[in-house]
Amino acid sequence: MPSKHHEATSPVPNASKGHRRLSDIDTPALVLDRTRLDRNIAAMQAQVQRLGVRLRPHLKTAKSADIARRVVGEGGAITVSTLREAEYFAAQGFKDIFYAVAIVPQKLARVARLMAAGVRVLLAVDHPAAATALAAAGRAHGVVFDALLEVDSGESRSGVQADSTQVEAVAQALDGGGARLLGVFTHGGHSYAGRSPEAHAAVAEQERIAVTTAAGRLRAQGRQIDIVSLGSTPTVRHARGLEGVTEVRAGVYMLGDLFQAGIGGTDSHSDIAVSVLTTVVGNHPERGQIVVDAGSLALSKDISTRALGAEGDCGFGLVVDADSGLPIEGLYVHVAYQEHGVIRSRTTLDHARFPIGSQVRILPNHACLTSAAYDRYHVVAGPGAPVEAVWPRVNGW
Amino acid sequence: MPSKHHEATSPVPNASKGHRRLSDIDTPALVLDRTRLDRNIAAMQAQVQRLGVRLRPHLKTAKSADIARRVVGEGGAITVSTLREAEYFAAQGFKDIFYAVAIVPQKLARVARLMAAGVRVLLAVDHPAAATALAAAGRAHGVVFDALLEVDSGESRSGVQADSTQVEAVAQALDGGGARLLGVFTHGGHSYAGRSPEAHAAVAEQERIAVTTAAGRLRAQGRQIDIVSLGSTPTVRHARGLEGVTEVRAGVYMLGDLFQAGIGGTDSHSDIAVSVLTTVVGNHPERGQIVVDAGSLALSKDISTRALGAEGDCGFGLVVDADSGLPIEGLYVHVAYQEHGVIRSRTTLDHARFPIGSQVRILPNHACLTSAAYDRYHVVAGPGAPVEAVWPRVNGW
């Protein structure tokens, strides 16, 4: 794992291009600032060491083996959100993978193939019917599927209530061969509604209570519960203590985005490691706007920062200098058409600074959504640096 | 081009799969109802014949050569929104391609390669500086780039004002070799704010006046203007007459979506040819919701139907039966997390109908955005039919 001290000179694997400048890249394109990435990784690593828990990073945002290796090293334990991610990371040497979306029988053939290739795949269940089906499928495939029980800690999306008999009901449904229960997990996604370290810490404590309560009920039945997992970027970052928890999941912190910076899930805009490089294709002083070739497909239609109020609303993204990555005061994406982004200024737009053919970068509201439009990262060490590597991403299902 | 009368039995090219059922497809997946597609294509064909104009369909939504052939036959004239689309369609035999986003010098090497391969590429310009750069690049490449002047007809996104001297300024900047002006075009995207046939017809007339005004000014200078182009799905569908116009562009009508149905750009929800097949992964009567494996990456974060008011708001999509494609009264996607869609009902949710592992389909708010998450269509002839073909899509830039 790279430390903060040698990151600027560490060798970069998979550099498949020479030292092109950003200005030579076809736009729109996804740019990754490696210095910011490594700083974000190091900060989270320090936090989980402080908390005394293992980090099983969620790769649903990064979707990149090159990034995963920087977090957990070769073959470390990871979390994914799709089976395609699981298959991609398995092929890249990661052999301990938690697929954190509730499993259904149709997907088990792909899981069984991964297991046959020597991969441990942890599966999510939150309903007795799903657990019964999982165990039956395991017996039919002649394998034993590893399961984690999902517990709701307040998000009200998935998971059983930790203090309900559903906990035992799911566990019991996994008995009898074909499956085994290894642990419990929760995702306090309602932390995204918080706006302060205290609020995130409070949700982290809700997560902790939920999983330790469920684990306690199961252990009281004599069951062995090895994995007690929780997490989201805001709650892991701000948790005060995680007694009884064995591992945590967080993902978007690696790249960062305007929404996470706005809610305190990450520190600030200057931590955002990912941005969209785009070219000015129109300049219209009479309308007070410039037009770039990054529209809603290049940026996504995510407007999550609107929930931050007038002060925090970033439209469809904030504009930064193409070379330095530093903010251009007041500039934001006002409208996102399919292939046109309309940029306006909250102050005064200096039209002469953005001739047709010039470039800017755009910080995303939501790194997971924006990055998903791209099959690769163009990696730069920092301001003004050339493209030192191209790292592939895995999209789709 | 298929007619409405033989479409149900017409041979389907590129069928790369056997006759799988939809229930055998890994989810989430994009489903295309060929009967609806062909009906939409036929309806637009009838409209442009009535109007006496040529249709140069916009493939930015469909992004599929299989679909393009059903609209214009082998090698017909088309419109695209990215250079990657242009390259893909050129490789598929389409040799007359309008790239309808303002061109910048960096993209001209790719354009020149297409031209060298025998493709006519029409390029968009809306600024004297861009026109000057285009002509200079043509001289440098030793080619003559074909240009269309973009005129604004009220959307205020791109284009010069039709009654301004900018029209002549752009034309003049193209003179002197390296480029030539073939015509003018506009896109009345502000038709999306209309809610009635009359409103769309009025925007169509604004488009017509804008392009014929600009064409008239240029012809008054002795210039030959062969292409006078306008369009959007709502305006082409509802235009009353297009005197002076030579060709029109429309695209989303092929697939249709909830927003277009809501504004009258298309007829109704039963014209929507594209949907997302998804599997129920959670069923929570205590929360009044089911959870499916189609979240914001599978559906997009487009919430355009919110602009239609409480009656028209479809959340992140409407739920239809997986086999029949017919509506399930009241069901909609209430929240879209990255890989989880939370479905609720405006009436009563019959939880027993949606056991874990069962499937539904989701009609998209915005076909362009939702479809972009997928690299292929699973084509079915209609309700209950097996997958008769898999048609690739071209995404990215």
Side-chain angles (χ1 to χ4, degrees):
Chain A
M1 188 171 322
S3 83
K4 226 175 148 180
H5 303 293
H6 68 263
E7 65 197 12
T9 55
S10 64
V12 177
N14 297 349
S16 64
K17 303 279 181 180
H19 287 266
R20 291 202 293 170
R21 314 292 312 177
L22 280 183
S23 54
D24 297 330
I25 303 293
D26 288 337
T27 59
L30 195 63
V31 175
L32 180 62
D33 183 319
R34 185 173 50 79
T35 303
R36 293 183 179 189
L37 169 72
D38 286 340
R39 195 168 61 209
N40 296 340
I41 290 171
M44 182 60 80
Q45 196 59 38
Q47 169 67 352
V48 297
Q49 281 168 353
R50 196 155 44 233
L51 291 166
V53 293
R54 177 194 205 190
L55 175 64
R56 182 191 283 273
H58 207 316
L59 275 307
K60 76 186 182 74
T61 309
K63 292 187 185 245
S64 154
D66 297 286
I67 295 177
R69 287 189 192 101
R70 297 179 93 81
V71 182
V72 294
E74 288 290 338
I78 62 172
T79 309
V80 300
S81 66
T82 68
L83 283 182
R84 185 171 294 181
E85 287 169 42
E87 290 159 349
Y88 161 79
F89 284 107
Q92 292 282 327
F94 296 85
K95 301 296 188 195
D96 184 353
I97 301 177
F98 174 28
Y99 170 43
V101 177
I103 193 70
V104 292
Q106 294 97 319
K107 302 192 178 183
L108 290 172
R110 289 169 73 181
V111 173
R113 282 197 291 275
L114 286 169
M115 292 165 65
V119 181
R120 177 164 92 151
V121 186
L122 305 178
L123 300 171
V125 288
D126 77 346
H127 195 285
T132 300
L134 181 66
R139 292 190 297 272
H141 279 89
V143 298
V144 178
F145 290 115
D146 289 331
L148 299 188
L149 167 66
E150 183 166 8
V151 179
D152 180 45
S153 51
E155 183 179 43
S156 297
R157 175 180 79 184
S158 310
V160 302
Q161 297 307 306
D163 56 0
S164 77
T165 56
Q166 289 292 93
V167 171
E168 291 85 357
V170 171
Q172 189 179 340
L174 291 168
D175 290 341
R180 64 183 165 195
L181 182 65
L182 295 189
V184 298
F185 80 102
T186 193
H187 168 60
H190 55 305
S191 62
Y192 284 28
R195 297 289 181 267
S196 67
E198 295 70 27
H200 300 316
V203 175
E205 182 63 7
Q206 290 174 358
E207 289 182 293
R208 193 190 69 82
I209 290 172
V211 285
T212 55
T213 297
R217 289 179 73 115
L218 293 166
R219 288 174 180 141
Q221 288 193 318
R223 295 177 185 274
Q224 183 177 336
I225 299 299
D226 291 333
I227 297 176
V228 180
S229 169
L230 59 76
S232 73
T233 282
T235 58
V236 175
R237 177 165 189 243
H238 294 291
R240 304 283 159 84
L242 291 179
E243 193 182 338
V245 172
T246 66
E247 61 183 51
V248 296
R249 309 180 317 281
V252 70
Y253 75 92
M254 300 172 206
L255 302 186
D257 57 33
L258 295 165
F259 182 75
Q260 287 298 327
I263 67 170
T266 56
D267 251 349
S268 73
H269 293 181
S270 62
D271 293 327
I272 300 175
V274 72
S275 57
V276 173
L277 181 71
T278 182
T279 303
V280 174
V281 301
N283 190 321
H284 305 280
E286 74 284 9
R287 296 176 197 139
Q289 61 197 31
I290 60 173
V291 181
V292 294
D293 67 355
S296 54
L297 287 186
L299 299 173
S300 95
K301 294 277 272 192
D302 191 286
I303 49 169
S304 49
T305 56
R306 192 171 289 181
L308 302 175
E311 284 291 298
D313 185 357
C314 301
F316 291 89
L318 291 188
V319 180
V320 300
D321 185 81
D323 277 329
S324 71
L326 296 176
I328 300 173
E329 182 63 26
L331 257 61
Y332 68 102
V333 181
H334 175 62
V335 189
Y337 301 94
Q338 184 164 342
E339 297 294 346
H340 299 76
V342 173
I343 291 175
R344 289 193 178 171
S345 175
R346 296 192 197 285
T347 56
T348 305
L349 208 167
D350 176 9
H351 284 270
R353 183 173 169 183
F354 307 102
I356 291 172
S358 64
Q359 297 187 324
V360 294
R361 281 196 263 158
I362 297 171
L363 301 181
N365 280 329
H366 188 168
C368 313
L369 273 286
T370 299
S371 303
Y374 302 89
D375 61 7
R376 72 197 72 182
Y377 297 98
H378 298 276
V379 183
V380 297
V387 178
E388 62 181 18
V390 174
W391 291 348
R393 283 176 44 87
V394 57
N395 293 311
W397 298 273
Chain B
M1 187 173 325
S3 82
K4 227 177 147 179
H5 303 293
H6 68 261
E7 64 196 14
T9 56
S10 64
V12 177
N14 296 351
S16 63
K17 302 279 180 179
H19 287 267
R20 290 203 292 170
R21 314 292 311 179
L22 279 183
S23 54
D24 297 330
I25 304 293
D26 287 337
T27 59
L30 195 63
V31 175
L32 180 62
D33 183 318
R34 185 173 49 80
T35 302
R36 292 183 180 191
L37 169 73
D38 286 339
R39 195 168 60 210
N40 296 340
I41 290 171
M44 183 59 81
Q45 196 58 37
Q47 169 67 351
V48 297
Q49 281 167 354
R50 196 155 43 233
L51 290 167
V53 292
R54 176 194 206 189
L55 175 65
R56 182 190 284 272
H58 207 317
L59 274 306
K60 77 186 181 74
T61 310
K63 293 188 183 242
S64 154
D66 296 287
I67 294 177
R69 288 190 192 100
R70 299 179 91 82
V71 181
V72 295
E74 288 290 338
I78 61 171
T79 310
V80 301
S81 66
T82 68
L83 283 182
R84 184 171 293 181
E85 288 169 42
E87 291 160 348
Y88 161 80
F89 284 107
Q92 292 280 328
F94 295 85
K95 300 296 186 194
D96 184 352
I97 301 176
F98 175 27
Y99 170 43
V101 177
I103 194 71
V104 291
Q106 294 97 320
K107 302 191 178 183
L108 290 172
R110 289 169 71 181
V111 173
R113 282 198 291 274
L114 285 170
M115 293 166 64
V119 181
R120 177 165 90 150
V121 186
L122 305 178
L123 301 172
V125 286
D126 78 346
H127 196 285
T132 300
L134 181 66
R139 292 190 297 272
H141 279 91
V143 298
V144 178
F145 290 116
D146 290 330
L148 300 187
L149 167 66
E150 183 166 8
V151 179
D152 181 44
S153 51
E155 183 180 44
S156 297
R157 176 180 78 185
S158 308
V160 303
Q161 297 307 305
D163 55 0
S164 78
T165 55
Q166 288 292 93
V167 171
E168 292 85 356
V170 171
Q172 190 178 341
L174 291 168
D175 290 341
R180 64 184 164 194
L181 182 66
L182 295 189
V184 298
F185 81 102
T186 193
H187 168 58
H190 54 306
S191 62
Y192 285 28
R195 297 290 181 266
S196 67
E198 295 70 26
H200 300 317
V203 176
E205 182 62 8
Q206 290 174 357
E207 290 183 294
R208 193 190 69 81
I209 289 172
V211 285
T212 56
T213 297
R217 290 179 73 115
L218 293 166
R219 287 175 180 140
Q221 288 194 315
R223 295 177 184 275
Q224 184 177 337
I225 298 300
D226 291 332
I227 297 177
V228 180
S229 169
L230 59 77
S232 72
T233 283
T235 57
V236 175
R237 178 165 189 241
H238 294 291
R240 304 282 159 84
L242 291 179
E243 192 181 339
V245 172
T246 66
E247 60 184 51
V248 295
R249 308 179 319 281
V252 69
Y253 76 93
M254 300 173 207
L255 303 187
D257 57 34
L258 294 166
F259 181 75
Q260 287 297 328
I263 68 169
T266 56
D267 252 348
S268 72
H269 292 181
S270 62
D271 294 326
I272 300 174
V274 72
S275 58
V276 173
L277 181 71
T278 182
T279 303
V280 175
V281 301
N283 190 320
H284 304 281
E286 74 283 9
R287 296 176 197 139
Q289 62 196 30
I290 59 174
V291 181
V292 295
D293 67 354
S296 53
L297 286 185
L299 298 173
S300 93
K301 293 277 272 192
D302 191 285
I303 50 169
S304 49
T305 57
R306 191 171 288 182
L308 303 175
E311 284 290 298
D313 185 356
C314 301
F316 292 88
L318 291 188
V319 180
V320 299
D321 184 81
D323 277 330
S324 71
L326 296 176
I328 301 174
E329 182 63 27
L331 256 61
Y332 68 103
V333 181
H334 175 62
V335 189
Y337 301 93
Q338 185 164 343
E339 296 294 345
H340 299 77
V342 173
I343 291 176
R344 288 194 178 172
S345 175
R346 295 192 197 284
T347 56
T348 305
L349 208 168
D350 176 8
H351 283 270
R353 183 173 169 183
F354 306 102
I356 291 172
S358 63
Q359 297 187 323
V360 294
R361 281 194 265 157
I362 297 171
L363 300 180
N365 280 329
H366 189 168
C368 313
L369 272 286
T370 299
S371 303
Y374 302 89
D375 61 6
R376 72 197 71 180
Y377 297 98
H378 297 275
V379 184
V380 297
V387 178
E388 62 182 17
V390 174
W391 289 350
R393 284 175 44 87
V394 57
N395 294 310
W397 299 272

